[in-house]
Amino acid sequence: MNNKIGLYIHIPFCQEICSYCDFIKTNDHRISSINNYFEALLAEVVSKKKYFPDIDTIYIGGGTPNSVAISYLEKLLIILQDIHPREYTIETNSELYTPEQGDLFVKYGITRVSIGVQTFQKPLINLLNRFHNFSQVEMMMCDLRSKGINNINIDMILAIPTQTMGDLQEDIQKVLSLKPTHISYYSLILEEKTKMMWDIIHGKYQLIDEDLNYEMTKLVINSLQKNAYQHYEISNFALKGFVSQHNLKYWTYQQYLGLGQGACSLIDNQRITNTKVFSKYLKGEPPLVEVQDQMLAIEDEMIFGLRKMKGVNIKIINLKYQCDVLKLYPQLNNFIENHFLVYRNNILRLSKKGYYVANQIFEVFL
Ligand code: SF4
């Protein structure tokens, strides 16, 4: 394991709740809730100071970190000043962005901003219960660039119920016109206990069918690749030199420390999971600590590794865990024979057609 650590910090507050979202979030914006959360979070961050010298990426995610007042963010950023990461990201929503936030990001050395967009089509934005528009994203990016923050990710979603190929084409053109350095383009997943699940059960709209989903995915990959975005992970695309260093840590099974409500860590051969319950986090409920189990480690290495277009070095995994992965998971050989996986020079990776059935392949490890 590389001994450099990625630090993730979770800020669960959101202005509104998106219809598809099953992340750990809350739209409770009472001052007392935010005060109490930041008090607990900052105490947790300070308690992990011994790791600071080894941290080389920071990712402040959520929730929507820029939905809270600048004074809260600044308290956190002041503590993190002792860390000198090579990549420092914050997640945002454009409709909540102010130039003062941009100044704060620059002041504390944030190098990368991720903007949740998902779609630029008004009816789809409404369906997702989001509140941005194209010009807000454009103005935000312009302001960030004027301040020297050029590394900007845009999060997008395809296969939104009722979305057409025409809608998707327009979204792709719009996102390309903004020239972000990185684009995450996820296929919508219907999650339990979301408003979208409820709407679908009650026949308000339907999920996109598999064939259209396939065509949409193909369109996204082809369009972004044609425009110089390297497709380096199933749902992630980057211009040269802008691969997400923090997320690479998850996909290459390196150490990370997760702080805040529901955050997970993989560190010192332990998996540590903070409570997902807001009130329990505030009360300081101790996290669940598990010794890293070898089978679980192999599964994670394989699933996350295969998400990368470069694939997994099977020889290294066999040596590291003293095992034979292809014997441990014999079903992999069927996927290789049927050309869904390519196995060459010890590297196992998804083939072009394997990309579209990746979730079925990953089930081998579950
Ligand atoms: S802004 Fe993000 S975290 Fe908040 S509800 Fe929407 S998708 Fe979920």
Side-chain angles (χ1 to χ4, degrees), residues 147-183:
K147 295 180 160 100
I149 298 182
N150 296 304
N151 191 359
I152 299 171
N153 169 63
I154 293 186
D155 276 342
M156 299 292 289
I157 294 183
L158 63 90
I160 301 167
T162 76
Q163 188 178 32
T164 63
M165 284 299 270
D167 291 331
L168 182 65
Q169 229 147 10
E170 246 185 74
D171 269 353
I172 295 171
Q173 272 160 19
K174 286 201 162 132
V175 79
L176 288 172
S177 74
L178 293 167
K179 299 189 170 44
T181 48
H182 191 284
I183 302 171

Side-chain angles (χ1 to χ4, degrees), residues 19-217:
S19 61
Y20 57 95
C21 177
D22 82 329
F23 301 141
I24 294 165
K25 80 284 171 185
T26 172
N27 58 356
D28 172 0
H29 260 82
R30 283 173 302 177
I31 302 274
S32 57
S33 302
I34 303 177
N35 269 340
N36 292 342
Y37 186 78
F38 271 82
E39 205 175 294
L41 177 68
L42 299 188
E44 194 189 11
V45 174
V46 169
S47 75
K48 303 295 176 192
K49 273 200 164 180
K50 68 167 181 179
Y51 292 110
F52 281 13
D54 294 323
I55 292 170
D56 70 342
T57 62
I58 303 179
Y59 193 105
I60 301 176
T64 313
N66 73 325
S67 70
V68 298
I70 277 189
S71 54
Y72 292 105
L73 288 179
E74 185 155 25
K75 278 185 199 155
L76 171 65
L77 298 179
I78 286 173
I79 297 175
L80 299 178
Q81 257 182 324
D82 291 341
I83 304 174
H84 304 286
R86 62 196 163 105
E87 185 187 90
Y88 194 166
T89 305
I90 187 161
E91 274 181 1
T92 60
N93 273 352
S94 60
E95 71 277 15
L96 302 170
Y97 178 77
T98 61
E100 292 71 32
Q101 290 176 1
D103 294 337
L104 186 83
F105 300 165
V106 172
K107 182 173 173 193
Y108 291 97
I110 288 176
T111 56
R112 185 172 182 271
V113 174
S114 178
I115 309 175
V117 171
Q118 323 313 348
T119 178
F120 291 107
Q121 311 293 312
K122 187 68 182 142
L124 298 178
I125 291 175
N126 292 343
L127 187 147
L128 297 179
N129 200 37
R130 294 185 64 92
F131 297 91
H132 60 275
N133 59 43
F134 181 80
S135 31
Q136 285 167 333
V137 182
E138 195 177 32
M139 283 193 303
M140 174 176 173
M141 290 179 73
C142 182
D143 189 64
L144 286 170
R145 284 170 172 148
S146 74
K147 295 180 160 100
I149 298 182
N150 296 304
N151 191 359
I152 299 171
N153 169 63
I154 293 186
D155 276 342
M156 299 292 289
I157 294 183
L158 63 90
I160 301 167
T162 76
Q163 188 178 32
T164 63
M165 284 299 270
D167 291 331
L168 182 65
Q169 229 147 10
E170 246 185 74
D171 269 353
I172 295 171
Q173 272 160 19
K174 286 201 162 132
V175 79
L176 288 172
S177 74
L178 293 167
K179 299 189 170 44
T181 48
H182 191 284
I183 302 171
S184 297
Y185 227 123
Y186 289 93
S187 184
L188 185 126
I189 296 174
L190 182 62
E191 302 285 359
E192 299 283 339
K193 297 183 188 158
T194 55
K195 179 176 181 298
M196 183 173 280
M197 175 71 100
W198 196 91
D199 286 345
I200 287 179
I201 289 171
H202 290 85
K204 221 170 158 188
Y205 43 72
Q206 293 174 340
L207 277 183
I208 293 289
D209 73 44
E210 261 184 40
D211 291 344
L212 185 54
N213 195 326
Y214 172 85
E215 289 305 324
M216 287 181 161
T217 307

Side-chain angles (χ1 to χ4, degrees), residues 273-333:
T273 312
N274 281 354
T275 175
K276 292 183 177 170
V277 182
F278 190 79
S279 56
K280 289 185 178 172
Y281 180 73
L282 298 192
K283 282 186 196 143
E285 176 159 301
L288 177 69
V289 181
E290 299 161 289
V291 175
Q292 178 62 322
D293 168 277
Q294 160 130 340
M295 274 314 284
L296 225 53
I298 298 173
E299 284 166 16
D300 280 358
E301 291 246 21
M302 292 303 294
I303 294 176
F304 287 112
L306 283 174
R307 289 189 65 90
K308 290 178 292 132
M309 295 300 118
K310 281 186 178 164
V312 187
N313 189 320
I314 295 294
K315 192 173 170 186
I316 291 180
I317 292 193
N318 285 349
L319 276 173
K320 186 167 164 187
Y321 296 98
Q322 292 297 300
C323 67
D324 183 338
V325 169
L326 293 180
K327 282 199 178 130
L328 210 51
Y329 303 103
Q331 309 96 305
L332 290 176
N333 293 302

